[in-house]
Amino acid sequence: MKANENINGKTSVYGIIGDPVGHSFSPIIHNTISKAIGGGFVYVPFHVREGDVEEAVKGAYSLGVKGLNVTVPHKKAVIPYLCELERRAEAIGAVNTLKYTDNGYIGYNTDILGILYSFQNRGIYIKDKSVLIIGAGGSACAALVLAVSEGARSVVIANRTVSNAQKLRDHVLKFYDADISVCGTDEINDVEKADIVIQTTTLGFGENIGLSPIKDKSFFKNKNVSAVFDTIYIPPKTEFLKDAEGFGVTAINGFDMLVYQAVAASEIWLERKYNEGFVKELKDELSLFFR
């Protein structure tokens, strides 16, 4: 038996809280990062039930847990127990990353950075572009805050229930002055232009495999779409992405977001920046788990 010298009294602890949490890929991602940079921390899942969030956050802080990721259903519930919110996390109204400070945990939302880095790595920038966001849930909110904070010329939110899209628009307009309109998913073809399309619904995943929110494939050509992003990563190519690629559109799946949001969280915690070469090697290694 050989002792593990990499875990000792100086090892920092990070983790993720959620209910359920056993399915999370975050421990694999972050422990892979730790190994790649020579150790120094371990990352573990913590199963926290609804109603136990306050005790969990305060307990983790008292124990010196240096950072936490937060997954469903606690992304909003943790907010009252934080000392501060980063501006974009405040606008989204949900956090997925907590950083330890002398005054308490600061809340961030790195989902937004996951999408941003996925685009920027391919030389795609949102500033002055027309953006179509499909869906009106948590991921759509992150995408909307990203679009307006990065200077999109205009944004359209398309959702099956238009009232939910309106609520999302009205919420974000409290934080940003932006051109945001809404429509039903059955009205997507009426959108004047969509340089970038961000798909955040479950169409294309699970029992919805083979489905796409855009039924008319010519949409990608007619609206001059240059890039699309789908938050789904299983399967790696949804019908939505296949259709877009058929017209020469840059198509990005949710695997990039999954990795980049974790990288962003690690950068916040460790106060360091990973170069693209490091991230590429990380993605290559992690891709083995998603085949």
Side-chain angles (χ1 to χ4, degrees):
M1 181 181 294
K2 184 178 180 180
N4 188 342
E5 298 175 358
N6 293 324
I7 299 178
N8 52 53
K10 296 181 180 180
T11 302
S12 297
V13 177
Y14 296 84
I16 182 169
I17 62 173
D19 183 20
V21 76
H23 67 288
S24 174
F25 289 110
S26 292
I28 294 173
I29 297 173
H30 286 283
N31 286 312
T32 300
I33 291 174
S34 180
K35 181 180 177 182
I37 65 174
F41 72 86
V42 294
Y43 185 104
V44 293
F46 298 107
H47 182 202
V48 176
R49 295 180 176 84
E50 289 191 73
D52 294 336
V53 173
E54 180 179 4
E55 290 82 358
V57 172
K58 291 180 177 179
Y61 185 80
S62 297
L63 289 169
V65 175
K66 296 302 182 183
L68 289 169
N69 284 135
V70 185
T71 189
V72 292
H74 306 322
K75 290 186 176 186
K76 295 179 184 291
V78 298
I79 291 176
Y81 313 115
L82 308 180
C83 68
E84 186 181 336
L85 281 181
E86 186 268 337
R87 183 171 185 262
R88 291 201 284 196
E90 184 181 9
I92 294 170
V95 302
N96 74 336
T97 300
L98 310 184
K99 179 182 180 178
Y100 186 99
T101 72
D102 290 341
N103 297 319
Y105 286 120
I106 297 176
Y108 298 81
N109 191 305
T110 64
D111 287 338
I112 190 172
L113 298 176
I115 302 172
L116 176 63
Y117 293 170
S118 297
F119 281 131
Q120 288 184 346
N121 180 46
R122 291 167 172 79
I124 298 164
Y125 299 92
I126 294 172
K127 185 173 175 58
D128 297 326
K129 300 289 178 58
S130 299
V131 179
L132 169 64
I133 297 171
I134 304 172
S139 296
C141 187
L144 179 57
V145 171
L146 171 65
V148 298
S149 64
E150 288 295 311
R153 182 172 68 251
S154 64
V155 184
V156 177
I157 309 167
N159 194 54
R160 184 175 59 181
T161 305
V162 177
S163 60
N164 289 340
Q166 292 170 333
K167 289 176 184 176
L168 176 55
R169 175 197 61 192
D170 294 345
H171 169 75
V172 171
L173 286 176
K174 295 176 184 177
F175 299 89
Y176 296 93
D177 181 14
D179 179 2
I180 307 172
S181 56
V182 304
C183 71
T185 48
D186 57 345
E187 301 173 295
I188 283 179
N189 276 337
D190 296 331
V191 172
E192 183 177 346
K193 187 179 179 183
D195 298 307
I196 296 172
V197 183
I198 302 175
Q199 202 293 106
T200 71
T201 74
T202 58
L203 286 176
F205 171 73
E207 62 183 18
N208 293 317
I209 282 181
L211 300 179
S212 170
I214 295 181
K215 310 247 180 332
D216 183 357
K217 298 179 183 180
S218 63
F219 174 92
F220 299 101
K221 179 181 179 181
N222 296 339
K223 308 302 179 180
N224 296 312
V225 178
S226 60
V228 298
F229 180 90
D230 197 328
T231 55
I232 295 169
Y233 55 88
I234 299 176
K237 281 194 179 181
T238 59
E239 205 67 22
F240 168 75
L241 294 179
K242 291 176 185 176
D243 291 345
E245 282 187 329
F247 288 91
V249 175
T250 299
I252 310 167
N253 73 7
F255 175 71
D256 271 21
M257 178 181 177
L258 180 70
V259 175
Y260 279 118
Q261 62 84 20
V263 166
S266 186
E267 289 178 339
I268 290 168
W269 291 330
L270 303 182
E271 297 181 352
R272 63 182 293 168
K273 187 74 176 175
Y274 300 108
N275 62 44
E276 194 52 43
F278 176 90
V279 178
K280 183 181 184 305
E281 289 182 15
L282 178 65
K283 286 164 63 177
D284 288 344
E285 186 165 349
L286 292 171
S287 65
L288 299 174
F289 295 95
F290 296 91
R291 289 180 175 174

